[in-house]
Amino acid sequence: EDQVTQSPEALRLQEGESSSLNCSYTVSGLRGLFWYRQDPGKGPEFLFTLYSAGEEKEKERLKATLTKKESFLHITAPKPEDSATYLCAVLSEKLVFGKGTKLTVNP
Amino acid sequence: GAVVSQHPSRVICKSGTSVKIECRSLDFQATTMFWYRQFPKQSLMLMATSNEGSKATYEQGVEKDKFLINHASLTLSTLTVTSAHPEDSSFYICSATRRLAGVGDTQYFGPGTRLTVL
């Protein structure tokens, strides 16, 4: 059975304090790994798709990396507006989500 | 970027009535659409997979006669909650699969529909 585990469940950072979120997965036939940002009461907002081990993608203060067993979402010098829940999902036959990491960035 | 819309964004209804939620991919044709529900502080739970022109595939524990899915075209899927009850109150989200040639599939999500059943 496909599984996705995200850690930590919650993370508090000071503005400018860089850190990483983890997404570990077990899946048969990975077709893609996705990172999303979700704000309260809204649908997930697409951030990145990674398709193969070794792939990296960047967008502003975010960088996503992928290995055969896990993905990291690195946040460099975060700002309060980066506060949100970050969701990881893997696609094989269907899309399976992790429970998310709630990030709070304090000014 | 790709856009997926949902309508309505918020609906309040009486117990026993039916509610229809629309999901549209606005600037691409979606090979597949998915329907999720999300309870407060929990992750998304897949309800069903919807393919254009064929019957939806429901996840275990999801009543297909209660949650009717119609995938009328490559850009539109609808979810009808029939005879809604208070326990059906939730946040319903759809996603659409966009296939990029030579790249792969990406999932784009709608903004969600907040259903409250009184």
Side-chain angles (χ1 to χ4, degrees), chain A residues 6 31-32 34 36 38 41-46 48-49 51 57 87-88 91 93-100 102, chain B residues 34 36 38 41-44 46 49 59 91 93 95 97-100 103-112 114:
Chain A
Q6 288 188 248
R31 289 166 53 194
F34 309 98
Y36 297 89
Q38 187 175 25
K42 297 186 178 180
E45 175 191 339
F46 173 76
F48 303 108
T49 306
Y51 294 104
K57 291 203 175 161
L87 298 171
C88 168
L91 179 67
E93 293 185 357
K94 54 187 175 184
L95 196 63
V96 178
F97 277 88
K99 294 185 176 180
K102 183 177 181 181
Chain B
F34 298 90
Y36 300 83
Q38 186 176 34
K41 298 184 180 180
Q42 294 190 25
S43 191
L44 285 77
L46 179 64
T49 303
E59 295 299 300
F91 192 52
I93 306 174
S95 73
T97 302
R98 184 178 191 181
R99 179 156 293 171
L100 299 174
V103 178
D105 292 347
T106 296
Q107 292 288 324
Y108 294 95
F109 284 82
R114 171 71 60 192

Side-chain angles (χ1 to χ4, degrees), chain B residues 50-56 69 71:
Chain B
S50 172
N51 292 293
E52 186 265 341
S54 63
K55 289 184 178 180
I69 292 173
H71 199 143

Side-chain angles (χ1 to χ4, degrees), chain A residues 1-2 6 8 11 20 23 31 36 39 42-43 50 53 55 74 76 86-87 89 95 97-98 101 105:
Chain A
E1 184 179 333
D2 299 342
Q6 288 188 248
L11 179 63
S20 296
C23 171
R31 289 166 53 194
Y36 297 89
D39 293 299
K42 297 186 178 180
L50 301 167
E55 192 174 357
H74 306 278
T76 303
Y86 289 85
L87 298 171
L95 196 63
F97 277 88
T101 294
V105 182

Side-chain angles (χ1 to χ4, degrees), chain A residues 63-84:
Chain A
K63 179 180 177 181
T65 62
L66 181 65
T67 71
K68 289 186 177 180
K69 294 182 179 181
E70 58 191 350
S71 176
F72 290 94
L73 183 66
H74 306 278
I75 302 178
T76 303
K79 298 182 178 181
E81 52 262 41
D82 294 324
S83 297

Side-chain angles (χ1 to χ4, degrees), chain A residues 6-12 19-22 100-102:
Chain A
Q6 288 188 248
S7 61
E9 290 187 11
L11 179 63
R12 285 186 175 273
S19 188
S20 296
L21 312 181
N22 178 264
T101 294
K102 183 177 181 181

